[in-house]
Coordinates of all heavy atoms in Angstrom, one line a residue:
M1 N 0.8 -1.2 0.0 CA 0.0 0.0 0.0 C 0.9 1.3 0.0 O 1.9 1.3 0.7 CB -0.9 0.0 1.2 CG -2.2 0.6 0.9 SD -3.5 0.3 2.2 CE -3.0 1.4 3.5
T2 N 0.5 2.2 -0.8 CA 1.3 3.5 -0.8 C 1.0 4.4 0.4 O -0.1 4.3 1.0 CB 1.0 4.2 -2.1 OG1 -0.4 4.5 -2.2 CG2 1.5 3.5 -3.3
E3 N 2.0 5.2 0.7 CA 1.8 6.2 1.8 C 0.6 7.1 1.5 O 0.4 7.5 0.4 CB 3.1 7.0 1.8 CG 4.2 6.4 2.5 CD 4.0 6.2 4.0 OE1 3.8 7.2 4.7 OE2 4.0 5.0 4.4
P4 N -0.2 7.3 2.6 CA -1.3 8.3 2.4 C -0.7 9.7 2.2 O 0.3 10.0 2.8 CB -2.1 8.1 3.7 CG -1.1 7.6 4.7 CD -0.1 6.8 3.9
I5 N -1.4 10.5 1.4 CA -1.1 11.9 1.3 C -2.3 12.7 1.5 O -3.4 12.2 1.4 CB -0.5 12.2 -0.1 CG1 -1.5 11.7 -1.2 CG2 0.8 11.6 -0.3 CD1 -1.2 12.2 -2.6
L6 N -2.2 14.0 1.8 CA -3.4 14.8 1.9 C -3.1 16.0 1.1 O -2.3 16.9 1.4 CB -3.6 15.2 3.4 CG -4.9 16.0 3.6 CD1 -6.2 15.3 3.1 CD2 -5.1 16.5 5.0
V7 N -3.7 16.1 -0.1 CA -3.4 17.1 -1.1 C -4.7 17.7 -1.6 O -5.7 16.9 -1.9 CB -2.6 16.5 -2.3 CG1 -2.2 17.7 -3.2 CG2 -1.4 15.9 -1.8
N8 N -4.8 19.0 -1.8 CA -5.9 19.6 -2.5 C -5.4 19.8 -3.9 O -4.6 20.6 -4.2 CB -6.2 21.0 -1.9 CG -7.2 21.8 -2.6 OD1 -7.8 21.3 -3.5 ND2 -7.5 23.0 -2.2
V9 N -5.9 19.0 -4.8 CA -5.5 18.9 -6.2 C -5.8 20.3 -6.9 O -5.0 20.7 -7.7 CB -6.1 17.7 -7.0 CG1 -5.6 17.7 -8.4 CG2 -5.7 16.4 -6.3
T10 N -6.9 20.9 -6.5 CA -7.2 22.2 -7.1 C -6.0 23.2 -6.8 O -5.6 23.9 -7.7 CB -8.5 22.8 -6.4 OG1 -9.5 21.9 -6.7 CG2 -8.8 24.1 -7.0
E11 N -5.5 23.1 -5.6 CA -4.4 24.0 -5.2 C -3.1 23.7 -6.0 O -2.5 24.7 -6.5 CB -4.1 23.8 -3.7 CG -2.9 24.7 -3.2 CD -2.6 24.5 -1.7 OE1 -3.5 24.0 -1.0 OE2 -1.4 24.7 -1.4
E12 N -2.8 22.5 -6.3 CA -1.7 22.1 -7.1 C -1.8 22.7 -8.5 O -0.8 23.2 -9.1 CB -1.5 20.6 -7.1 CG -1.1 20.0 -5.8 CD -0.6 18.6 -5.9 OE1 -1.4 17.8 -6.5 OE2 0.4 18.2 -5.4
I13 N -3.0 22.5 -9.1 CA -3.2 23.0 -10.4 C -3.2 24.5 -10.5 O -2.5 25.1 -11.3 CB -4.5 22.4 -11.0 CG1 -4.4 20.9 -11.2 CG2 -4.9 23.1 -12.3 CD1 -5.6 20.2 -11.6
V14 N -3.8 25.1 -9.5 CA -3.9 26.6 -9.5 C -2.5 27.2 -9.3 O -2.2 28.2 -10.0 CB -4.9 27.1 -8.5 CG1 -4.8 28.6 -8.2 CG2 -6.4 26.8 -8.9
S15 N -1.7 26.7 -8.4 CA -0.4 27.4 -8.2 C 0.4 27.3 -9.4 O 1.1 28.2 -9.7 CB 0.3 26.8 -7.0 OG -0.2 25.7 -6.4
G16 N 0.4 26.1 -10.1 CA 1.2 26.0 -11.3 C 0.7 27.0 -12.4 O 1.5 27.6 -13.1
L17 N -0.6 27.1 -12.5 CA -1.2 28.0 -13.6 C -0.9 29.5 -13.3 O -0.6 30.3 -14.2 CB -2.7 27.8 -13.7 CG -3.1 26.5 -14.5 CD1 -4.6 26.3 -14.4 CD2 -2.6 26.5 -15.9
V18 N -1.0 29.9 -12.0 CA -0.7 31.2 -11.6 C 0.7 31.6 -11.9 O 1.0 32.6 -12.5 CB -1.0 31.5 -10.1 CG1 -0.4 32.8 -9.6 CG2 -2.5 31.4 -9.8
R19 N 1.7 30.7 -11.6 CA 3.1 31.0 -11.9 C 3.3 31.1 -13.4 O 3.9 32.1 -13.8 CB 3.9 29.8 -11.3 CG 5.4 30.1 -11.4 CD 6.1 29.2 -10.4 NE 5.6 29.3 -9.1 CZ 5.5 28.3 -8.2 NH1 5.9 27.1 -8.5 NH2 5.0 28.5 -7.0
F20 N 2.7 30.2 -14.1 CA 2.8 30.2 -15.6 C 2.3 31.5 -16.2 O 3.0 32.2 -17.0 CB 2.1 29.0 -16.2 CG 2.2 28.9 -17.7 CD1 3.4 28.5 -18.3 CD2 1.1 29.3 -18.5 CE1 3.4 28.4 -19.7 CE2 1.2 29.2 -19.8 CZ 2.3 28.8 -20.4
L21 N 1.1 31.9 -15.8 CA 0.5 33.1 -16.4 C 1.2 34.4 -16.0 O 1.5 35.2 -16.8 CB -1.0 33.2 -15.9 CG -2.0 32.4 -16.7 CD1 -3.4 32.6 -16.1 CD2 -2.0 32.8 -18.2
L22 N 1.5 34.4 -14.7 CA 2.1 35.6 -14.1 C 3.5 35.9 -14.8 O 3.9 37.1 -14.9 CB 2.3 35.5 -12.6 CG 2.4 36.8 -11.8 CD1 1.2 37.7 -12.1 CD2 2.4 36.4 -10.3
H23 N 4.2 34.9 -15.2 CA 5.5 35.0 -15.8 C 5.4 35.1 -17.3 O 6.5 35.2 -17.9 CB 6.5 33.9 -15.3 CG 6.8 34.1 -13.8 ND1 8.0 34.7 -13.4 CD2 6.1 33.7 -12.7 CE1 8.0 34.7 -12.1 NE2 6.9 34.1 -11.6
G24 N 4.2 35.0 -17.8 CA 4.1 35.1 -19.3 C 4.1 36.5 -19.8 O 4.2 37.4 -19.0
T25 N 4.1 36.7 -21.1 CA 4.3 38.0 -21.7 C 3.1 38.9 -21.4 O 3.3 40.2 -21.3 CB 4.4 37.9 -23.2 OG1 3.4 37.0 -23.7 CG2 5.8 37.3 -23.6
D26 N 1.9 38.4 -21.1 CA 0.7 39.2 -20.9 C 0.8 40.1 -19.7 O 0.1 41.1 -19.5 CB -0.6 38.4 -20.9 CG -0.9 37.8 -22.3 OD1 -0.3 38.2 -23.3 OD2 -1.8 37.0 -22.3
Y27 N 1.5 39.6 -18.7 CA 1.5 40.2 -17.3 C 2.8 40.8 -16.9 O 3.1 40.9 -15.7 CB 0.9 39.3 -16.3 CG -0.5 38.9 -16.7 CD1 -0.7 37.6 -17.4 CD2 -1.6 39.7 -16.6 CE1 -2.0 37.3 -17.8 CE2 -2.8 39.4 -17.1 CZ -3.0 38.2 -17.7 OH -4.3 37.8 -18.2
Q28 N 3.7 41.1 -17.9 CA 5.0 41.6 -17.6 C 5.0 42.8 -16.7 O 5.9 43.1 -15.9 CB 5.7 42.0 -18.9 CG 6.4 40.8 -19.5 CD 6.9 41.1 -20.9 OE1 6.6 42.1 -21.5 NE2 7.8 40.2 -21.4
T29 N 3.9 43.7 -16.8 CA 3.9 44.9 -16.0 C 3.4 44.7 -14.6 O 3.5 45.6 -13.8 CB 3.0 45.9 -16.7 OG1 1.7 45.4 -16.9 CG2 3.5 46.4 -18.1
F30 N 3.0 43.5 -14.3 CA 2.5 43.2 -12.9 C 3.7 42.7 -12.1 O 4.6 42.1 -12.6 CB 1.4 42.1 -13.0 CG 0.1 42.7 -13.5 CD1 -0.1 42.8 -14.9 CD2 -0.9 43.1 -12.6 CE1 -1.3 43.3 -15.3 CE2 -2.1 43.6 -13.1 CZ -2.3 43.7 -14.5
C31 N 3.5 42.8 -10.8 CA 4.6 42.4 -9.9 C 4.7 40.8 -9.9 O 3.6 40.2 -9.9 CB 4.3 42.9 -8.5 SG 5.6 42.4 -7.3
H32 N 5.9 40.3 -9.9 CA 6.0 38.8 -10.0 C 6.6 38.3 -8.7 O 7.0 37.1 -8.6 CB 7.0 38.5 -11.1 CG 6.6 38.8 -12.4 ND1 6.8 40.1 -12.9 CD2 5.9 38.2 -13.3 CE1 6.3 40.1 -14.1 NE2 5.7 39.0 -14.4
C33 N 6.6 39.1 -7.6 CA 7.3 38.6 -6.4 C 6.5 37.5 -5.8 O 5.3 37.3 -6.1 CB 7.5 39.8 -5.4 SG 6.0 40.2 -4.5
N34 N 7.1 36.8 -4.9 CA 6.5 35.7 -4.2 C 5.3 36.1 -3.4 O 4.3 35.3 -3.4 CB 7.6 35.1 -3.2 CG 7.7 33.6 -3.3 OD1 6.8 33.0 -3.8 ND2 8.8 33.1 -2.7
Y35 N 5.3 37.2 -2.8 CA 4.2 37.7 -2.0 C 3.0 37.9 -2.9 O 1.9 37.4 -2.6 CB 4.6 39.1 -1.4 CG 3.6 39.7 -0.5 CD1 3.4 39.3 0.8 CD2 2.7 40.6 -1.1 CE1 2.4 39.9 1.6 CE2 1.7 41.2 -0.3 CZ 1.6 40.8 1.0 OH 0.6 41.4 1.8
C36 N 3.1 38.6 -4.0 CA 2.0 38.8 -4.9 C 1.5 37.5 -5.5 O 0.3 37.3 -5.6 CB 2.3 39.8 -6.0 SG 2.6 41.4 -5.4
E37 N 2.4 36.6 -5.9 CA 2.0 35.3 -6.5 C 1.2 34.5 -5.5 O 0.2 33.9 -5.8 CB 3.3 34.5 -6.9 CG 3.0 33.3 -7.7 CD 4.2 32.5 -8.1 OE1 5.2 33.2 -8.6 OE2 4.3 31.3 -7.8
T38 N 1.6 34.6 -4.2 CA 0.9 33.8 -3.2 C -0.5 34.5 -2.9 O -1.5 33.8 -2.7 CB 1.7 33.8 -1.9 OG1 3.0 33.3 -2.2 CG2 1.1 32.8 -0.9
E39 N -0.5 35.8 -2.9 CA -1.8 36.5 -2.8 C -2.8 36.1 -3.9 O -4.0 35.9 -3.6 CB -1.6 38.0 -2.8 CG -1.1 38.7 -1.6 CD -2.1 38.7 -0.4 OE1 -3.3 38.7 -0.7 OE2 -1.7 38.7 0.7
I40 N -2.3 36.1 -5.1 CA -3.2 35.7 -6.2 C -3.7 34.3 -6.1 O -4.9 34.0 -6.2 CB -2.4 35.9 -7.5 CG1 -2.1 37.4 -7.8 CG2 -3.2 35.3 -8.7 CD1 -1.0 37.7 -8.8
T41 N -2.8 33.4 -5.7 CA -3.1 32.0 -5.6 C -4.2 31.8 -4.5 O -5.2 31.1 -4.7 CB -1.9 31.1 -5.3 OG1 -0.9 31.4 -6.2 CG2 -2.2 29.7 -5.3
A42 N -4.0 32.5 -3.4 CA -5.0 32.4 -2.3 C -6.4 33.0 -2.7 O -7.4 32.4 -2.5 CB -4.5 33.2 -1.1
D43 N -6.3 34.1 -3.4 CA -7.6 34.7 -3.9 C -8.3 33.7 -4.9 O -9.5 33.6 -4.8 CB -7.2 36.0 -4.6 CG -8.5 36.9 -4.9 OD1 -9.2 37.2 -3.9 OD2 -8.7 37.2 -6.0
V44 N -7.6 33.1 -5.8 CA -8.2 32.2 -6.7 C -8.8 31.0 -6.0 O -9.9 30.6 -6.2 CB -7.2 31.7 -7.8 CG1 -7.9 30.7 -8.7 CG2 -6.7 32.9 -8.6
L45 N -8.0 30.4 -5.1 CA -8.5 29.2 -4.3 C -9.7 29.5 -3.5 O -10.5 28.6 -3.3 CB -7.3 28.7 -3.5 CG -6.2 28.0 -4.3 CD1 -5.1 27.7 -3.4 CD2 -6.7 26.7 -4.9
N46 N -9.9 30.7 -3.0 CA -11.1 31.0 -2.3 C -12.4 31.0 -3.2 O -13.5 31.0 -2.7 CB -11.0 32.4 -1.6 CG -10.1 32.3 -0.3 OD1 -10.1 31.2 0.3 ND2 -9.5 33.3 0.1
K47 N -12.2 31.1 -4.5 CA -13.3 31.1 -5.4 C -13.6 29.8 -6.0 O -14.6 29.6 -6.7 CB -13.0 32.1 -6.6 CG -12.8 33.6 -6.1 CD -12.7 34.5 -7.2 CE -11.3 34.5 -7.9 NZ -11.1 35.5 -8.9
L48 N -12.7 28.8 -5.8 CA -12.9 27.5 -6.5 C -13.2 26.4 -5.5 O -12.7 26.5 -4.3 CB -11.7 27.1 -7.3 CG -11.3 28.0 -8.5 CD1 -10.0 27.7 -9.0 CD2 -12.4 28.0 -9.6
P49 N -13.9 25.4 -5.9 CA -14.1 24.2 -4.9 C -12.8 23.5 -4.6 O -12.0 23.3 -5.6 CB -15.1 23.3 -5.7 CG -15.0 23.7 -7.1 CD -14.6 25.1 -7.2
T50 N -12.6 23.1 -3.4 CA -11.4 22.3 -3.1 C -11.6 20.8 -3.6 O -12.8 20.4 -3.9 CB -11.3 22.1 -1.6 OG1 -12.5 21.6 -1.0 CG2 -10.9 23.5 -1.0
Y51 N -10.5 20.1 -3.8 CA -10.6 18.7 -4.3 C -9.5 18.0 -3.6 O -8.4 17.8 -4.1 CB -10.4 18.7 -5.8 CG -10.9 17.4 -6.5 CD1 -11.7 17.5 -7.6 CD2 -10.6 16.2 -6.0 CE1 -12.1 16.4 -8.3 CE2 -11.0 15.0 -6.6 CZ -11.8 15.1 -7.7 OH -12.2 14.0 -8.3
Y52 N -9.8 17.5 -2.3 CA -8.8 16.8 -1.6 C -8.8 15.3 -1.9 O -9.8 14.7 -2.2 CB -9.1 17.0 0.0 CG -8.6 18.3 0.5 CD1 -9.4 19.4 0.7 CD2 -7.2 18.4 0.8 CE1 -8.9 20.6 1.1 CE2 -6.7 19.5 1.3 CZ -7.5 20.6 1.5 OH -7.0 21.8 1.9
V53 N -7.6 14.8 -1.9 CA -7.4 13.4 -2.1 C -6.5 12.8 -1.0 O -5.7 13.6 -0.4 CB -6.8 13.0 -3.5 CG1 -7.8 13.4 -4.6 CG2 -5.5 13.7 -3.7
A54 N -6.5 11.5 -0.8 CA -5.7 10.9 0.3 C -4.7 9.9 -0.2 O -4.0 9.3 0.6 CB -6.7 10.3 1.3
N55 N -4.6 9.7 -1.5 CA -3.6 8.8 -2.0 C -3.3 9.2 -3.5 O -4.0 9.9 -4.1 CB -4.0 7.3 -1.9 CG -5.2 7.0 -2.8 OD1 -5.2 7.0 -4.0 ND2 -6.4 6.8 -2.1
N56 N -2.1 8.7 -4.0 CA -1.7 9.1 -5.3 C -2.5 8.7 -6.4 O -2.6 9.4 -7.4 CB -0.2 8.5 -5.5 CG 0.8 9.6 -5.4 OD1 0.6 10.7 -5.8 ND2 1.9 9.3 -4.7
E57 N -3.2 7.5 -6.3 CA -4.1 7.0 -7.3 C -5.2 8.0 -7.5 O -5.5 8.4 -8.7 CB -4.6 5.7 -7.0 CG -4.9 4.7 -8.1 CD -5.1 3.3 -7.6 OE1 -4.1 2.6 -7.3 OE2 -6.3 3.0 -7.4
A58 N -5.8 8.4 -6.4 CA -6.9 9.4 -6.5 C -6.4 10.7 -7.0 O -7.2 11.5 -7.7 CB -7.5 9.6 -5.1
R59 N -5.2 11.0 -6.7 CA -4.6 12.3 -7.1 C -4.5 12.3 -8.7 O -4.9 13.3 -9.3 CB -3.2 12.4 -6.5 CG -2.6 13.8 -6.8 CD -1.2 13.7 -6.1 NE -0.4 14.9 -6.4 CZ 0.9 14.9 -6.4 NH1 1.6 13.7 -6.1 NH2 1.6 16.0 -6.6
N60 N -4.0 11.2 -9.2 CA -3.9 11.1 -10.7 C -5.2 11.2 -11.4 O -5.4 11.9 -12.4 CB -3.2 9.8 -11.1 CG -1.7 9.8 -10.7 OD1 -1.1 10.8 -10.5 ND2 -1.2 8.6 -10.6
E61 N -6.2 10.6 -10.7 CA -7.6 10.6 -11.3 C -8.1 12.0 -11.2 O -8.7 12.5 -12.2 CB -8.4 9.7 -10.4 CG -9.7 9.1 -11.1 CD -9.4 8.7 -12.5 OE1 -8.6 7.8 -12.8 OE2 -10.2 9.2 -13.4
A62 N -7.9 12.7 -10.1 CA -8.4 14.1 -10.0 C -7.7 15.0 -11.0 O -8.4 15.9 -11.5 CB -8.1 14.6 -8.5
F63 N -6.4 14.8 -11.2 CA -5.7 15.6 -12.2 C -6.4 15.5 -13.5 O -6.6 16.5 -14.2 CB -4.2 15.2 -12.3 CG -3.3 16.1 -11.6 CD1 -2.6 15.6 -10.4 CD2 -3.1 17.4 -12.0 CE1 -1.8 16.4 -9.7 CE2 -2.2 18.2 -11.3 CZ -1.5 17.7 -10.2
K64 N -6.7 14.3 -13.9 CA -7.3 14.0 -15.2 C -8.6 14.7 -15.3 O -8.9 15.4 -16.3 CB -7.5 12.5 -15.4 CG -6.5 11.9 -16.4 CD -6.9 10.4 -16.6 CE -5.9 9.5 -15.9 NZ -6.4 8.1 -15.8
Q65 N -9.4 14.7 -14.3 CA -10.7 15.3 -14.3 C -10.6 16.8 -14.3 O -11.3 17.5 -15.1 CB -11.5 14.9 -13.0 CG -12.2 13.6 -13.1 CD -13.1 13.4 -12.0 OE1 -13.8 14.3 -11.6 NE2 -13.1 12.2 -11.4
L66 N -9.7 17.4 -13.5 CA -9.6 18.8 -13.3 C -9.0 19.5 -14.5 O -9.1 20.7 -14.8 CB -8.9 19.2 -12.0 CG -9.7 18.9 -10.7 CD1 -8.8 19.2 -9.5 CD2 -11.0 19.7 -10.7
K67 N -8.1 18.7 -15.2 CA -7.4 19.3 -16.4 C -8.1 19.3 -17.7 O -7.5 19.4 -18.7 CB -6.0 18.7 -16.5 CG -5.1 19.1 -15.4 CD -3.6 19.0 -15.8 CE -2.8 20.0 -15.0 NZ -1.3 19.8 -15.2
S68 N -9.4 19.1 -17.7 CA -10.2 19.2 -18.9 C -10.1 20.6 -19.4 O -10.0 21.6 -18.7 CB -11.7 18.8 -18.7 OG -12.3 19.9 -17.9
P69 N -10.1 20.8 -20.8 CA -9.9 22.1 -21.4 C -10.9 23.1 -20.8 O -10.6 24.3 -20.6 CB -10.1 21.9 -22.9 CG -9.8 20.4 -23.1 CD -10.2 19.7 -21.8
E70 N -12.2 22.7 -20.6 CA -13.2 23.6 -20.1 C -12.9 24.1 -18.7 O -13.0 25.3 -18.4 CB -14.6 23.0 -20.1 CG -15.0 22.3 -21.3 CD -14.5 20.8 -21.4 OE1 -14.9 20.0 -20.6 OE2 -13.7 20.5 -22.3
N71 N -12.4 23.1 -17.9 CA -12.1 23.5 -16.5 C -10.9 24.4 -16.4 O -10.9 25.4 -15.7 CB -11.9 22.3 -15.7 CG -12.1 22.6 -14.2 OD1 -13.0 23.2 -13.8 ND2 -11.1 22.1 -13.4
I72 N -9.9 24.1 -17.2 CA -8.7 25.0 -17.2 C -9.0 26.4 -17.7 O -8.5 27.4 -17.1 CB -7.6 24.4 -18.2 CG1 -7.1 23.0 -17.6 CG2 -6.4 25.3 -18.4 CD1 -6.3 23.1 -16.3
E73 N -9.9 26.5 -18.7 CA -10.3 27.8 -19.1 C -11.0 28.5 -18.0 O -10.8 29.7 -17.8 CB -11.3 27.6 -20.3 CG -11.3 28.8 -21.3 CD -12.3 28.5 -22.4 OE1 -12.2 27.5 -23.1 OE2 -13.3 29.3 -22.5
K74 N -11.9 27.8 -17.3 CA -12.6 28.5 -16.2 C -11.6 28.9 -15.1 O -11.7 30.1 -14.6 CB -13.6 27.4 -15.6 CG -14.5 27.9 -14.5 CD -15.3 26.8 -13.9 CE -15.3 26.8 -12.4 NZ -15.8 25.6 -11.9
I75 N -10.6 28.1 -14.8 CA -9.6 28.5 -13.8 C -8.8 29.6 -14.2 O -8.6 30.6 -13.5 CB -8.7 27.2 -13.4 CG1 -9.5 26.1 -12.8 CG2 -7.6 27.7 -12.5 CD1 -8.8 24.8 -12.5
N76 N -8.4 29.6 -15.5 CA -7.6 30.7 -16.1 C -8.4 32.1 -16.0 O -7.8 33.1 -15.7 CB -7.2 30.5 -17.5 CG -6.0 29.6 -17.6 OD1 -5.2 29.5 -16.7 ND2 -5.8 28.9 -18.7
R77 N -9.7 32.0 -16.2 CA -10.5 33.2 -16.1 C -10.5 33.8 -14.7 O -10.3 35.0 -14.5 CB -12.0 32.9 -16.5 CG -12.3 33.3 -17.9 CD -13.8 33.5 -18.1 NE -14.6 32.3 -17.7 CZ -14.8 31.3 -18.4 NH1 -14.4 31.2 -19.7 NH2 -15.5 30.2 -18.0
E78 N -10.6 32.9 -13.7 CA -10.5 33.3 -12.3 C -9.2 33.9 -11.9 O -9.0 34.9 -11.2 CB -10.9 32.2 -11.3 CG -12.3 31.6 -11.5 CD -13.3 32.6 -11.1 OE1 -13.0 33.7 -10.5 OE2 -14.5 32.3 -11.3
I79 N -8.1 33.3 -12.5 CA -6.7 33.7 -12.2 C -6.5 35.1 -12.7 O -6.0 36.0 -12.1 CB -5.7 32.7 -12.8 CG1 -5.7 31.4 -12.1 CG2 -4.3 33.4 -12.7 CD1 -4.8 30.3 -12.6
I80 N -7.0 35.4 -14.0 CA -6.8 36.7 -14.6 C -7.5 37.8 -13.7 O -7.0 38.8 -13.5 CB -7.3 36.7 -16.0 CG1 -6.3 35.8 -16.9 CG2 -7.4 38.1 -16.6 CD1 -6.8 35.3 -18.2
L81 N -8.8 37.4 -13.3 CA -9.5 38.4 -12.4 C -8.7 38.7 -11.1 O -8.6 39.8 -10.7 CB -10.9 37.8 -12.0 CG -11.9 37.8 -13.2 CD1 -13.2 37.0 -12.7 CD2 -12.2 39.1 -13.7
S82 N -8.1 37.6 -10.6 CA -7.3 37.8 -9.3 C -6.0 38.6 -9.6 O -5.6 39.4 -8.7 CB -7.0 36.5 -8.7 OG -8.2 35.8 -8.3
I83 N -5.4 38.4 -10.7 CA -4.2 39.1 -11.0 C -4.5 40.6 -11.1 O -3.7 41.4 -10.5 CB -3.6 38.6 -12.4 CG1 -3.0 37.2 -12.3 CG2 -2.5 39.6 -12.9 CD1 -2.4 36.6 -13.6
Y84 N -5.6 40.9 -11.7 CA -6.0 42.4 -11.7 C -6.4 42.9 -10.4 O -6.0 44.0 -10.0 CB -7.1 42.6 -12.8 CG -6.6 42.6 -14.2 CD1 -6.5 41.5 -15.0 CD2 -6.1 43.8 -14.7 CE1 -6.0 41.5 -16.3 CE2 -5.6 43.9 -16.0 CZ -5.5 42.7 -16.8 OH -5.0 42.8 -18.0
A85 N -7.1 42.1 -9.6 CA -7.6 42.5 -8.3 C -6.4 42.7 -7.4 O -6.3 43.8 -6.7 CB -8.5 41.5 -7.7
V86 N -5.4 41.8 -7.4 CA -4.2 42.0 -6.5 C -3.3 43.1 -7.0 O -2.8 43.9 -6.2 CB -3.5 40.6 -6.4 CG1 -2.2 40.8 -5.6 CG2 -4.3 39.6 -5.7
G87 N -3.2 43.2 -8.3 CA -2.3 44.2 -8.9 C -2.8 45.6 -8.7 O -2.0 46.5 -8.7
K88 N -4.1 45.7 -8.5 CA -4.7 47.1 -8.3 C -4.3 47.6 -6.9 O -4.1 48.8 -6.7 CB -6.2 47.0 -8.3 CG -6.8 47.7 -9.5 CD -8.3 47.8 -9.4 CE -9.0 46.6 -8.9 NZ -10.4 46.4 -9.2
N89 N -4.2 46.7 -5.9 CA -3.8 47.1 -4.6 C -2.3 47.2 -4.4 O -1.6 46.2 -4.8 CB -4.4 46.1 -3.5 CG -5.9 46.0 -3.6 OD1 -6.6 47.0 -3.8 ND2 -6.3 44.8 -3.5
K90 N -1.8 48.3 -3.9 CA -0.4 48.3 -3.6 C -0.2 47.6 -2.3 O -0.4 48.2 -1.2 CB 0.1 49.8 -3.6 CG 0.5 50.3 -4.9 CD 1.9 49.9 -5.3 CE 2.2 50.2 -6.8 NZ 3.3 49.3 -7.3
N91 N 0.2 46.4 -2.3 CA 0.3 45.6 -1.1 C 1.6 45.7 -0.4 O 1.8 45.4 0.7 CB 0.1 44.1 -1.4 CG -1.3 43.8 -1.9 OD1 -2.3 44.2 -1.2 ND2 -1.4 43.2 -3.1
H92 N 2.6 46.2 -1.2 CA 3.9 46.3 -0.6 C 4.7 47.3 -1.4 O 4.3 47.7 -2.5 CB 4.7 44.9 -0.7 CG 4.7 44.4 -2.1 ND1 5.7 44.7 -3.0 CD2 3.9 43.5 -2.8 CE1 5.5 44.1 -4.1 NE2 4.5 43.4 -4.0
A93 N 5.9 47.8 -0.9 CA 6.6 48.8 -1.5 C 7.4 48.3 -2.7 O 7.6 47.1 -2.8 CB 7.6 49.4 -0.5
Ligands
ZN101 ZN1 4.8 41.9 -5.5

């Protein structure tokens, strides 16, 4: 039996996508620091349903389900809204 894990698969997917988008050419003028990236990720995660799994098999299954093109598009829309929301506030110097 494999070791149990406790992972929110939504969080894994969202953090990867936030990093990817934020460092892409579209958002060059936005802050890329760790602080802002984490703020954006937290903001997006508060808007999306969690998807916890307790083992790797379920994790792979969840990845397959959550990574459908429609779902990724929906997540990307939320990320873009959050990038603008966080970018509007001057959170740090
Ligand atoms: Zn920043």
Side-chain angles (χ1 to χ4, degrees):
M1 215 165 78
T2 55
E3 280 294 299
I5 53 167
L6 184 61
V7 183
N8 177 5
V9 181
T10 304
E11 182 182 332
E12 292 191 309
I13 290 175
V14 167
S15 9
L17 286 173
V18 167
R19 188 158 306 143
F20 180 77
L21 278 179
L22 203 55
H23 291 264
T25 46
D26 289 351
Y27 302 100
Q28 273 172 348
T29 55
F30 288 81
C31 184
H32 298 86
C33 79
N34 227 341
Y35 181 86
C36 291
E37 188 179 309
T38 309
E39 280 291 332
I40 292 163
T41 307
D43 193 57
V44 176
L45 286 173
N46 282 333
K47 296 186 286 187
L48 296 173
T50 55
Y51 199 134
Y52 277 99
V53 293
N55 63 70
N56 255 319
E57 213 168 275
R59 185 183 178 207
N60 292 338
E61 203 43 55
F63 259 112
K64 254 185 256 165
Q65 279 190 40
L66 291 174
K67 285 205 156 174
S68 70
E70 311 85 65
N71 199 48
I72 294 295
E73 203 183 302
K74 183 183 133 196
I75 294 175
N76 277 339
R77 262 200 306 273
E78 296 295 352
I79 292 174
I80 289 161
L81 290 174
S82 295
I83 289 176
Y84 279 93
V86 171
K88 251 193 316 207
N89 301 320
K90 272 276 168 207
N91 296 306
H92 58 86

